[in-house]
């Protein structure tokens, strides 16, 4: 969702390249471009003003460090200010204050409260090892209870069978008593929304909040509605004393203004963001990491965390060994694709590698990587187990059969096998390099022209991209997914 902002920032920083130091005169143009970028991303204008003043002050106060490009110094300042505007460090929920610990979920209609209730249950159970209980307390839209129960059943989380003819506070009272009896550690309460902030709704929520005595109160706000959701958050905070905000639909084409202004305007920490309709599409909100993603400095930490979750370490190790020895089979390849699928979209992942955002914007054709993976899967699934474990036996007649079975042409199958062999060779080469301590520059491997921030000079010295060859170099580079 920050694509356009990232691109505009990167244009703004270009105005500083070649300058020997930062002066009031030469950052004026850069700041103007940053200002336009933020306003176009729908960031609150007061926030933009504060941000620019503070970046300017820091930039002019910065000592020139010999050998460091002023452009890069400036990016660092913008990074720090962006992170600070969004609240700096991630704020964890403190769930041990009492037992059972109530978390009240509130917000307008359709913002994603019920979906988030399910996601949070999954997150707290799998990451925080909590015994979670759900209370459906939306008696405004009866289907909401069924919707939550479906999530609860899918996740295997226990829920309260609320009587929707009661008032929200009565439902919550009964539900909390049941949770106590069951010895639950955390209770998540899904509530009703309205189209707009509404007195009846607020009164009912305040009743529930007072009954619960200092619960966690999380507002779900739709990132797509930008400044409007910031205003909604302000109103909810006045009435409900929010303890956190969840930004939903961050996967949409929202421009990012809500994420950037929410904390500064409301003073309430953003705790999570939601990035899709599936239960696993939830990320703890890390302002510093998000600032890095926006500035195309990569988010290696989140990438590593995601990888740790999705990848079976033993299996990954076994695959690495096979890659190194050039024993990697089509079956292994299928397994690897499965792991990558679990990680999420290819584009999203690539953007977490420093410098890749710009490369993707330039390349513009990696978008079909996922489509390409699907095509390969269809071909692989028409192979027998024997074939998958030993590509050497796949002769012409077998190729014809595989083509028919997968609804592709024989040429597609030939191409797939050629690519597989090419990739296998590259993998074993890469593993060798990693072992020898020469960790390859991933950006460069994928595109041949990916300077990482802070590494520009080194990168230029190290490699001179050869025309036309760049895109075919990496293991998942254009060669495979063109
Ligand atoms: P509620 O009325 O606030 O309880 O909203 P729901 O949880 O019922 O969600 C409304 C719609 O938004 C549903 O179709 C959800 O699947 C969808 N939704 C919720 N969160 C996200 C998200 O993070 N991304 C996307 N793309 N859709 C979401
Ligand atoms: Mg709902």
């Amino acid at each position: 969702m920050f694509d356009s902002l990232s691109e505009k920032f990167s244009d703004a920083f270009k105005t500083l390249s070649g300058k020997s130091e930062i002066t009031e005169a030469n950052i004026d143009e850069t700041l103007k471009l940053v200002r336009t970028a933020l306003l176009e991303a729908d960031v609150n204008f007061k926030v933009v003003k504060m941000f620019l003043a503070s970046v300017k002050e820091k930039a002019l106060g910065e000592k020139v460090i010999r050998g460091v490009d002023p452009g890069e110094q400036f990016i660092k300042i913008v990074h720090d200010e962006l992170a600070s505007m969004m609240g700096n460090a991630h704020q964890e929920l403190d769930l041990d204050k009492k037992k059972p610990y109530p978390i009240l979920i509130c917000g307008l209609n359709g913002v994603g409260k019920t979906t988030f209730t399910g996601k949070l249950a999954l997150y707290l159970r799998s990451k925080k090892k909590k015994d979670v209980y759900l209370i459906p307390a939306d008696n405004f839209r009866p289907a909401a209870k069924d919707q939550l129960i479906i999530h609860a059943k899918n996740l295997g989380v226990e829920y309260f069978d609320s009587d929707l003819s009661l008032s929200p506070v009565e439902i919550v009272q009964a539900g909390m008593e049941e949770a106590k009896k069951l010895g639950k550690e955390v209770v998540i309460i899904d509530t009703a929304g309205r189209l707009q902030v509404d007195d009846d709704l607020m009164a009912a929520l305040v009743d529930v909040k007072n009954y619960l005595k200092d619960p966690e109160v999380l507002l779900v706000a739709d990132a797509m509605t930008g400044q409007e959701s910031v205003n909604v958050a302000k109103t909810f905070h006045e009435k409900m004393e929010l303890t956190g905000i969840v930004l939903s639909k961050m996967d949409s084409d929202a421009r990012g203004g809500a994420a950037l202004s929410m904390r500064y305007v409301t003073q309430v920490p953003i705790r999570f963001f939601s990035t899709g309709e599936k239960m696993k599409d939830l990320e703890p909100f890390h302002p510093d990491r998000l600032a890095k993603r926006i500035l195309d400095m990569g988010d290696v930490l989140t990438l590593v965390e995601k990888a740790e979750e999705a990848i079976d370490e033993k299996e990954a190790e076994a695959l690495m060994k096979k890659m190194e020895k050039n024993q990697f089979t089509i079956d292994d390849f299928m397994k690897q694709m499965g792991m990558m699928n679990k990680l999420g979209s290819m584009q999203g992942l690539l953007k977490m590698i420093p410098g890749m955002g710009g490369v993707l914007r330039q390349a513009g054709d990696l978008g079909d990587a996922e489509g390409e993976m699907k095509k390969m899967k269809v071909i692989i699934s028409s192979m027998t187990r024997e074939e998958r474990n030993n590509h050497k036996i796949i002769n012409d007649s077998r190729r014809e059969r595989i083509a028919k079975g997968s609804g592709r042409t024989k040429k597609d199958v030939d191409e797939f096998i050629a690519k597989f062999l090419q990739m296998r060779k590259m993998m074993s080469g890469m593993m060798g390099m990693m072992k020898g301590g020469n960790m390859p520059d991933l950006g460069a491997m994928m595109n041949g022209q990916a300077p990482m921030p802070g590494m520009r000079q080194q990168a230029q010295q190290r490699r001179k991209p050869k025309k036309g060859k760049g895109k075919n170099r990496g293991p998942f580079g254009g060669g495979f997914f063109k």
Side-chain angles (χ1 to χ4, degrees):
M1 75 184 285
F2 293 100
D3 284 359
S4 154
L5 183 61
S6 293
E7 195 175 344
K8 298 235 168 65
F9 272 154
S10 128
D11 288 345
F13 300 148
K14 275 188 203 137
T15 57
L16 280 175
S17 75
K19 304 264 160 52
S20 57
E21 59 177 328
I22 295 177
T23 64
E24 178 132 23
N26 71 21
I27 59 168
D28 258 6
E29 194 193 342
T30 315
L31 288 174
K32 241 186 239 159
L33 291 172
V34 168
R35 178 172 183 275
T36 316
L38 290 169
L39 288 174
E40 280 177 10
D42 190 29
V43 178
N44 177 294
F45 73 96
K46 281 187 199 150
V47 178
V48 176
K49 215 168 144 192
M50 171 286 299
F51 180 80
L52 290 174
S54 144
V55 167
K56 187 167 179 178
E57 189 195 318
K58 299 232 163 71
L60 294 177
E62 191 88 344
K63 288 207 186 68
V64 181
I65 307 167
R66 224 173 249 282
V68 180
D69 179 35
E72 281 171 14
Q73 273 188 47
F74 190 77
I75 295 177
K76 167 83 170 65
I77 294 169
V78 171
H79 165 268
D80 292 352
E81 289 305 306
L82 273 180
S84 137
M85 185 162 101
M86 292 188 284
N88 277 323
H90 169 62
Q91 299 214 9
E92 290 254 12
L93 297 175
D94 177 9
L95 303 167
D96 298 318
K97 283 189 269 190
K98 56 182 164 183
K99 189 180 154 190
Y101 191 66
I103 304 179
L104 188 60
I105 310 297
C106 57
L108 297 184
N109 254 355
V111 290
K113 293 180 298 300
T114 307
T115 311
F116 173 70
T117 303
K119 289 178 179 182
L120 185 63
L122 172 64
Y123 175 86
L124 295 179
R125 190 188 57 191
S126 61
K127 297 278 153 48
K128 306 287 167 195
K129 310 291 171 224
K130 294 288 177 196
D131 190 0
V132 183
Y133 194 58
L134 299 179
I135 303 181
D138 178 354
N139 62 351
F140 197 70
R141 220 168 42 123
K145 178 180 164 185
D146 300 333
Q147 189 190 346
L148 189 66
I149 290 176
I150 291 172
H151 291 319
K153 283 185 174 157
N154 285 339
L155 297 169
V157 171
E158 279 186 88
Y159 59 89
F160 182 62
D161 187 12
S162 321
D163 175 355
L164 296 183
S165 66
L166 300 176
S167 71
V169 69
E170 287 164 333
I171 295 173
V172 170
Q173 213 165 341
M176 285 304 286
E177 274 158 25
E178 189 62 24
K180 251 176 238 163
K181 255 188 242 158
L182 294 167
K184 297 287 172 187
E185 293 171 296
V186 178
V187 179
I188 313 175
I189 302 157
D190 182 29
T191 65
R194 297 287 192 279
L195 288 176
Q196 266 129 26
V197 177
D198 166 293
D199 290 341
D200 283 350
L201 169 72
M202 284 300 173
L205 285 172
V206 168
D207 272 355
V208 173
K209 177 180 182 278
N210 290 340
Y211 163 74
L212 291 169
K213 296 194 188 76
D214 288 331
E216 200 71 53
V217 186
L218 300 184
L219 176 84
V220 181
D222 184 338
M224 272 197 321
T225 55
Q227 289 316 302
E228 208 181 302
S229 67
V230 176
N231 290 332
V232 169
K234 255 171 90 179
T235 315
F236 265 84
H237 188 42
E238 280 158 22
K239 306 252 161 54
M240 294 286 292
E241 294 170 78
L242 303 174
T243 60
I245 289 171
V246 178
L247 285 173
S248 67
K249 310 192 188 178
M250 292 277 283
D251 53 315
S252 66
D253 55 1
R255 287 171 290 165
L260 291 170
S261 351
M262 193 59 104
R263 168 67 199 252
Y264 186 80
V265 174
T266 62
Q267 296 295 310
V268 179
I270 303 174
R271 305 278 189 170
F272 292 96
F273 62 68
S274 260
T275 57
E277 302 191 59
K278 296 204 193 85
M279 289 292 107
K280 66 171 176 46
D281 298 331
L282 184 71
E283 285 184 34
F285 188 81
H286 288 277
D288 47 341
R289 297 185 192 179
L290 189 57
K292 284 199 174 64
R293 268 193 235 176
I294 294 173
L295 296 176
D296 200 10
M297 295 157 86
D299 180 2
V300 177
L301 285 175
T302 302
L303 185 61
V304 169
E305 277 174 13
K306 276 182 178 264
E308 278 171 358
E309 271 164 44
I311 289 173
D312 178 333
E313 220 171 291
K314 273 192 197 131
E315 194 162 346
E317 215 166 278
L319 287 181
M320 298 254 265
K321 281 220 173 90
K322 284 183 156 181
M323 281 186 208
E324 198 187 321
K325 293 186 184 149
N326 209 8
Q327 288 170 349
F328 200 70
T329 63
I330 295 177
D331 197 43
D332 296 328
F333 179 59
M334 186 87 164
K335 274 190 203 144
Q336 200 184 37
M337 280 208 285
M339 284 187 188
M340 294 187 45
N341 266 350
K342 272 198 255 165
L343 285 172
S345 94
M346 186 72 85
Q347 290 259 7
L349 287 182
L350 290 179
K351 279 185 203 147
M352 294 186 194
I353 298 173
M356 277 311 289
V359 174
L360 287 178
R361 279 198 297 275
Q362 274 170 21
D365 61 358
L366 267 165
D368 205 29
E370 273 147 78
E372 206 54 40
M373 276 178 63
K374 271 191 202 127
K375 278 191 216 157
M376 291 195 279
K377 267 195 177 163
V378 177
I379 294 179
I380 299 176
S381 37
S382 295
M383 294 180 180
T384 64
R385 178 177 302 196
E386 225 186 334
E387 288 163 348
R388 285 188 217 168
N389 284 323
N390 180 11
H391 62 276
K392 286 182 189 144
I393 63 167
I394 312 181
N395 56 18
D396 262 2
S397 66
R398 283 177 188 256
R399 288 179 194 214
E400 292 280 5
R401 194 210 72 237
I402 294 166
K404 263 194 205 132
S406 58
R408 319 284 318 172
T409 62
K410 170 156 177 298
K411 192 164 159 264
D412 289 333
V413 179
D414 289 343
E415 266 176 25
F416 166 74
I417 292 176
K419 282 175 184 171
F420 167 74
L421 290 174
Q422 181 196 347
M423 184 194 69
R424 191 170 181 252
K425 211 165 135 197
M426 278 190 301
M427 280 179 169
S428 85
M430 189 168 87
M431 300 309 292
M433 271 200 276
M434 281 161 89
K435 263 199 140 177
N438 284 324
M439 179 66 187
D441 171 341
L442 276 179
M445 298 228 33
M446 312 216 42
N447 187 285
Q449 47 176 306
M452 296 192 186
M455 294 181 63
R456 247 158 250 187
Q457 281 134 354
Q458 286 164 301
Q460 272 153 12
Q461 282 164 8
R462 239 186 304 139
R463 70 180 115 80
K464 294 196 179 82
K466 284 182 200 143
K467 261 192 199 140
K469 272 204 157 177
K471 275 187 184 165
N472 286 330
R473 289 210 287 191
F476 311 114
F480 232 101
F481 300 122
K482 72 172 182 290

